[in-house]
Amino acid sequence: MNRVTLTDIPLLWRAQSLASVQSSCVPTGYEELDRALGGGWPAPSLIELLCEEYGVGELRLLLGLLRQEPSPLDPPVRKVVLWLSPPFELHAVALAQYRLVPEDHWVCSVSRPADLQWAMTQALRSGACLAVVAWAQRLKTAALRTLKLAAMTGRGVGVLFRPMSEARIASPATLRIALRAQAPALDLSILKIQGRRPSIVRITPTDVDQSPGE
Amino acid sequence: MATAAQLLLFDVPAQTIASKSALKSVELSPSPTSAACSPRRSQAWLALHFADLALAAAYQGVSPAQRATLDATPWAVVEEDRLKHVVACNERAWQYGVRPGHRMNAAIALCASLTLVARRMRGEKQLLERVATDCLKYTSAVSLQPPNEVLLELRGSFRLFGGPTRLIERIQSDLGALNAGLQLALAPTARSAQWLARASTTPRVCLPRELADTLSTLPVASLAWPLPVELQLARFGITTIGDLMRLSRKDLARRIGAGPVRELQQALGRTSWLHRGWSTPPSYRDRVVLDFEIETTSLLEKMLKRPLARLKRNLIESDRAIDELDLTLKHREGATKLALRLQQATADTDHLAGLLHEHLDRLVLRAPIREVLVDAPRLLVASPHTRSLGMDPATRTDPRSAPELKARLLEQLQSRFGTHAIRALSVRPDHIPERAQRVSSTLQSSRSAQVPAHLPRRPFWLLREPKLATREYEAGEFQIASSPETIEAEAWESGSVRRAYYRARMRDGIECWIFRDLSTRYQWFVHGLFG
C-alpha cells in the first residue's frame, strides 16, 4: 500500500523554507541602532522611515543596506538599487565616495501614486533589486501589505520615506522609524519593529565609513 | 532569401558505399556503437518531391468561397504564356483525360466544365520555402531544390524520432495536409534520393549496399533530364540507369554533356554535391485580418494571444529568439504603431504579453482596429540557459539568472513609463559638481570614472539649480563647518564658474553644501544636502 507522507503534498510550505524568509540582518553601521534593531536592518522586509526634512543624514543611515557583498560568482552578479521619485537629484560622485557602484543605481521619477506603487511592487517582486527606495505621500494599508508581500517574494528590501503625519495610522511594515533631527544628533524613534520592543535611539550621522569591510 | 541562407557544405564521403552496415543497423536496432564503428558518419538523405506543388499553391491562393467550388469541379492550373499550357490538374479533370502539357483549348475540348486557375510562381516559391522552414524541426540540414523539391539529411534525427520508418510516417502526415502530391525517398546520397523520389509515388527506402542495384533499375525518363539528352539516350537504346552505368564515363560525357554524367557520379556517391543550406528566414511577419472591428484594448489583448502563440511555436521550432517586436494596429484610416524593445533576446511570449499589457494599458485607441500586423524584424539564434532541475524552495518559482531578472525588470518599467524614464547613474571626470555625473537612459554602455581619493565629501542630494540663499546667510542661519573648497572653471570650459564651497549646518539639523559665488558680488547659494 502506498503511504502518503507530508512531503508528497506539493503545496505544503515547509518550515525550513519559511526560516530562510525570516532571515538575516544587515548591520547598520551604528552600534546603538544595531542593538535596538536586534542586529541590524531586517532583510527581506518593508521599512518605513517617517521624516519631514531632507539633509539630516537619512541616506547615510541606509548605507549598510545599499552596499552589496561581493558575489562569489563569475561574472559577478550585481543587484540593482531602484530610487523612485527622489526629491532631489542623486549625486553619483557621493555614491562612489561611499563605495557604492553608481551604475547599479537606477533612478525613476513617477508622478502618479498608483504608478509608484506598481513600480515598487514589480521591482521588489522581480528579485533583481537589492533595495527599492521610494518617496511616497499617500499609500493605503492594502498597498503597503502588497509591497511587503512583494519584498518577501523577491527577497529584497523596500524602503519607504513618508511624512511624519502618517505615524498616526497603523501600518503593516516590518519596521517603522520616525527620524527627528536634534543637531548635531539624529533621534530615531522606533515606532514598530516585528518581534522586538519599540525604543528611541540617538545617533550622530558621520561621514566616516562605518562598514566592517574597510 | 538566398542571401540569408548560409552556405552549408554537405559533401558525400566516398566511404559511404564501403561501410555497408551503417544505415541497416540503425534500422534494426538504434545502437550508438554502430555509428561509432564507421570511420566517417554516413548520411541518410530524404528527398521530398512535390508533384502537384502548382496545384497546391494555386488552391491556397484563392478565397475560401472559391475553394469550395474548386473542390466540386474539375479544375486545372494553366501557365500564363501564349498557348496557356496546363501545368497540373485535379483528379476529376484527370478522369476526363486532361493531362499536364495539354494546351488550354485541348483541355477545354476534353472537359467542357473545366475551371482554369492561373499559375502562381511566387506562391509556389513561398510554399516550398514554408515547407523547408517547417522541415527544420526534423533536422538542421535542409536544402531547397527549386522548383519543387526539398532535401533533408536525417541521419542524426533517427533516434530522436524513433527510427526512419516512424520519421517518414510523421513527415508524411505533417505535410500530407498540403495536398501537393508528396513523393519521398530515403537514400544514402542526396542525388539518388532525389531521383528515387521523382520516380516513385510510394515512399522508398534504399540501403547503402543496395544503392547501385536500385539505381540501375530506374528508367532514364524519370530523371527529369533535358529533353534532347533524353531523346539522344533513347536513340542509343538506353532506357535505364543500369544501361548508362555500363558505358564509359568519358565517352558518355562527350556525347551528352558533362552535367548528367556528374549527376550520375553524385548519385553513386563518387563525387560530392554541394548545395545551399536552408535556414530560417531572418525576420518574422504575421498578419491578422479581423472579421470585426475591435474598439477596446482589453479585447485586443485577448485577440493577440493567438498570433503570439504562433510566434512562440515558430521561434521554438526554429530555435530562435527575438529582441524586438513591432505591432501595427491598422484603422480604417492610418495606423497605430507599438514597438517593444527588449534588453535580452527571448522566445518567451508570456513575458512579451506582459510587456504588451503595459503598453496597451497606456494606449488610447483613436479609432477601431481592423487589422493587426505582428513583425519581428530579426530573429536571433537562441542561446538556451542552464536551469536547475528543482525549484527554489522559498520562492517556488523557476530560478532565473540575475542579468535576466534585471533585464526583465527594466523592460517592464520601460514599457510602462517610456524608454527614457529609467536612468542609471555614472560618474564623469569633471570637477564642476553638476557636470560630474551622467544620467544615461541606455543602461549597459556607460562606464563610471574613478573618483579621486582626496576629494572632499560630496552631498548625496544635489539641487537641480543652486538656490539663492544670501538673505538666509546674512541672517546667520548657516553655521560653517568646514574650510572652503574652491572650484573654478574658465569660460572656454563651457561656462565660467568661480565658487567657494563650504559645508554648513542649519539650526534645525540640516546639513547643506553652500557656496559663495566669487564672480557675482559675493552671493550665497545652496547647492546640495548631505542626506
Side-chain angles (χ1 to χ4, degrees), chain A residues 10 12-14 17 20-21 53-60 63 77-78 80 82-83 86-98 102-110 114-115 118-119 122-123 126-129 135 153 155 181 183-184 207-209, chain B residues 358 392-396 402-403 405-407 409-410 412-413 415-417 421-428 433-434 436-439 443 446-449 451-452 455-464 503 505-513 529-531:
Chain A
L12 200 73
W13 209 315
R14 292 186 192 94
S17 65
S20 68
V21 169
E53 284 130 353
Y54 307 108
V56 293
E58 72 273 19
L59 295 188
R60 272 174 279 168
L63 279 179
V77 175
R78 305 208 61 93
V80 176
L82 182 67
W83 301 80
F88 307 105
E89 258 180 74
L90 212 58
H91 197 29
V93 180
L95 291 177
Q97 280 183 329
Y98 283 102
E103 285 89 347
D104 293 344
H105 292 255
W106 296 358
V107 182
C108 178
S109 289
V110 195
D115 280 344
W118 177 87
Q122 295 300 325
S126 71
C129 286
W135 279 260
T153 314
R155 308 175 67 71
D207 287 347
V208 184
D209 225 331
Chain B
E358 299 305 333
D392 181 2
T395 55
R396 301 194 154 263
L405 288 175
K406 245 158 95 167
L409 173 64
L410 184 64
Q412 238 176 349
L413 294 174
S415 52
R416 175 122 169 183
F417 303 122
I422 323 294
R423 295 157 295 149
L425 300 173
S426 62
V427 178
R428 265 179 66 186
E434 56 262 44
Q437 79 175 347
R438 180 172 34 201
V439 233
L443 293 176
S446 58
R447 184 88 211 106
S448 229
V451 176
L455 198 72
R457 283 277 177 209
R458 292 281 183 258
F460 265 119
W461 294 128
L462 210 61
L463 305 194
R464 285 182 187 94
R503 190 169 174 160
R505 186 182 286 280
M506 288 177 77
R507 217 171 301 142
D508 45 6
I510 300 175
E511 269 191 282
C512 311
W513 203 40
L529 300 170
F530 287 88

Side-chain angles (χ1 to χ4, degrees), chain B residues 8-17 19-24 26 35 38-46 139 141 151-158 185-193 205-209 211 266-267 269 271-275:
Chain B
L8 294 181
L9 304 179
F10 307 140
D11 75 322
V12 182
Q15 296 96 311
T16 310
I17 309 301
S19 68
K20 286 170 184 171
S21 62
L23 187 62
K24 178 75 176 173
V26 164
S38 75
R40 262 174 88 175
R41 279 173 69 83
S42 61
Q43 298 184 333
W45 286 90
L46 184 75
T139 171
L151 300 175
L152 317 175
E153 206 282 308
L154 291 175
R155 182 67 177 77
S157 310
F158 286 152
L186 187 71
T189 65
R191 189 65 83 182
S192 57
V205 176
C206 168
L207 301 180
R209 58 159 179 230
L211 182 66
Q266 285 165 352
T271 51
S272 53
W273 183 21
L274 304 182
H275 20 136

Side-chain angles (χ1 to χ4, degrees), chain B residues 167-205:
Chain B
L167 182 52
I168 288 174
E169 276 168 11
R170 178 158 169 195
I171 292 175
Q172 260 183 317
S173 70
D174 283 358
L175 297 177
L178 279 179
N179 274 331
L182 174 64
Q183 302 173 1
L184 33 78
L186 187 71
T189 65
R191 189 65 83 182
S192 57
Q194 192 183 24
W195 284 356
L196 287 169
R198 281 177 189 170
S200 82
T201 51
T202 52
R204 289 189 69 166
V205 176

